[in-house]
Amino acid sequence: MKGLSFFLLLVVLLGSCKSKEYENDVEIAKPQLDYTIKRLDSADLSAGRLERISIASSFVKSRPVDVWLPNNYSQSKSYAVLYMHDGQMLFDSTTTWNKQEWKVDEWATGLMESGRVKDFIVVGIHNIPEIRWFDLFPEKAFKFLNPEAQDSLLHTMKNQDQPITLNGNNYLSFLVEELKPVIDYEYSVNGDRQNTYVAGSSMGGLMSMYAMSEYPDVFKGAACLSTHWVGALPYEDNPLPDAIFNYMEENFPDAGDHLVYFDYGNQTLDQYYPQYAPKVDAILLEKGYSEVDSQNLFFEGTNHSENAWNERLNYPLEFLLGKQ
């Protein structure tokens, strides 16, 4: 495949049986895995507080998970949960590689205090730059590539001493089978589907779409900002977008029980996304979605950065978590 080795090289470079009783009388057993939780008092936040969970995962390479709790977080209330990818980029620009952040704590606090969204906490799963692409690519889309493209992709990975298999399914297993039970047990949350959401940008946008497709009974909604439909860095005759869309046509949940938010700009890496908007709209229409339960918004002049996602974060938060 023309350009395949080149784009993958660039991608790699860039890249106790105690139980808890809820008010609905459902008891949740303490997860049987090793994990620790500590408060991050050093985090530079505008509101709320952060706690860091470390989990000895059986599915993925260990990475920090940061849990943001809003002002006046209380065990007497029940909160929805928003799981977000690239967790180190969400709250504190003093610790990020590019000194940008999503300002999740600012937006969440303002929207909750104004009564525009229901109460929620945020669970930010850190990425590991060297393997981020392998963790976040929607793994089952691989089978929609033709055999030549599959062989070329695997060959390139082997040449670069990279894993020869993708890890998106294991990443989701970590999120759903290990992390979510810890969150449901340790925090005052409503862990049912109606109160469980997932969000991310770029490759995290793809993974959010994938999460709701693979676990439609777990996630009520997904927010996919600057969704990286090209699959990796753009190159000529790229087969990945078609593979991703073919996967969606077969696996994305039908309308009726879910909410999905997509968006895109047209600057820097986002310049490659507008061409795919009609295909996204067509799939949503085919699946029965309307403006009531789906959005695919265009933001003129916006680029591919945390600053850009911060500026419009209110749109997906209100769409997914707005009070009914």
Side-chain angles (χ1 to χ4, degrees):
M1 293 297 299
K2 186 175 180 179
L4 189 56
S5 178
F6 175 72
F7 93 81
L8 274 175
L9 176 60
L10 290 179
V11 166
V12 171
L13 291 176
L14 292 175
S16 202
C17 296
K18 175 183 175 184
S19 65
K20 176 180 178 180
E21 186 171 336
Y22 284 84
E23 58 184 15
N24 60 1
D25 296 327
V26 175
E27 290 190 351
I28 299 179
K30 183 175 182 178
Q32 297 301 298
L33 69 164
D34 294 330
Y35 65 90
T36 61
I37 302 175
K38 66 178 182 179
R39 181 163 172 163
L40 288 184
D41 291 321
S42 62
D44 185 8
L45 301 175
S46 293
R49 72 176 192 265
L50 276 185
E51 296 184 351
R52 177 160 293 175
I53 302 177
S54 298
I55 296 177
S57 175
S58 300
F59 296 106
V60 297
K61 186 175 180 179
S62 296
R63 78 275 317 275
V65 176
D66 292 340
V67 180
W68 179 80
L69 304 175
N71 290 334
N72 303 315
Y73 169 80
S74 172
Q75 291 290 337
S76 66
K77 299 172 67 174
S78 184
Y79 297 80
V81 185
L82 175 62
Y83 291 89
M84 297 187 71
H85 314 294
D86 301 321
Q88 65 264 52
M89 307 301 296
L90 304 178
F91 307 104
D92 185 358
S93 63
T94 67
T95 62
T96 64
W97 68 271
N98 61 1
K99 304 307 176 185
Q100 298 182 28
E101 59 167 297
W102 286 59
K103 296 190 176 181
V104 171
D105 49 324
E106 288 91 334
W107 274 116
T109 300
L111 292 172
M112 279 189 276
E113 290 183 350
S114 65
R116 293 159 68 184
V117 298
K118 55 188 174 183
D119 293 330
F120 68 100
I121 71 171
V122 179
V123 180
I125 306 164
H126 285 221
N127 71 58
I128 299 175
E130 296 79 12
I131 58 173
R132 178 175 180 268
W133 187 83
F134 300 99
D135 280 345
L136 297 184
F137 183 81
E139 184 174 338
K140 290 185 181 179
F142 182 81
K143 74 175 186 178
F144 291 93
L145 293 169
N146 64 44
E148 179 187 359
Q150 292 183 10
D151 290 344
S152 181
L153 181 62
L154 293 176
H155 179 71
T156 301
M157 290 178 181
K158 291 177 182 178
N159 286 347
Q160 296 175 358
D161 296 322
Q162 296 297 325
I164 62 171
T165 57
L166 302 174
N167 205 43
N169 293 343
N170 279 335
Y171 179 87
L172 283 182
S173 293
F174 162 68
L175 196 166
V176 172
E177 299 179 30
E178 295 179 331
L179 177 58
K180 186 177 185 299
V182 171
I183 298 300
D184 291 349
Y185 178 80
E186 294 287 347
Y187 297 94
S188 183
V189 300
N190 189 335
D192 66 4
R193 183 182 64 178
Q194 292 299 116
N195 292 280
T196 305
Y197 306 86
V198 61
S201 64
S202 195
M203 292 299 297
L206 283 182
M207 178 48 67
S208 298
M209 174 277 294
Y210 193 55
M212 199 170 78
S213 299
E214 292 297 301
Y215 292 92
D217 294 332
V218 173
F219 298 104
K220 169 68 175 181
C224 314
L225 288 73
S226 294
T227 312
H228 196 53
W229 299 118
V230 297
L233 290 185
Y235 70 102
E236 188 177 348
D237 299 325
N238 181 3
L240 292 175
D242 284 343
I244 294 167
F245 291 132
N246 288 338
Y247 166 83
M248 285 185 68
E249 289 174 338
E250 187 170 303
N251 295 281
F252 195 71
D254 290 335
D257 295 316
H258 297 90
L259 299 170
V260 62
Y261 171 95
F262 296 108
D263 72 20
Y264 56 102
N266 59 356
Q267 300 297 313
T268 62
L269 195 56
D270 271 41
Q271 70 182 288
Y272 299 98
Y273 302 157
Q275 63 183 307
Y276 300 112
K279 182 62 176 179
V280 176
D281 290 337
I283 292 175
L284 292 175
L285 182 64
E286 179 184 354
K287 295 287 183 175
Y289 288 87
S290 69
E291 66 277 1
V292 173
D293 51 9
S294 69
Q295 292 187 344
N296 186 24
L297 305 182
F298 173 53
F299 291 88
E300 173 70 43
T302 58
N303 63 26
H304 196 85
S305 69
E306 284 74 21
N307 284 344
W309 302 320
N310 155 45
E311 290 175 358
R312 62 181 189 260
L313 185 56
N314 57 308
Y315 287 91
L317 290 183
E318 289 191 68
F319 183 71
L320 295 187
L321 292 146
K323 292 183 177 179
Q324 303 299 318

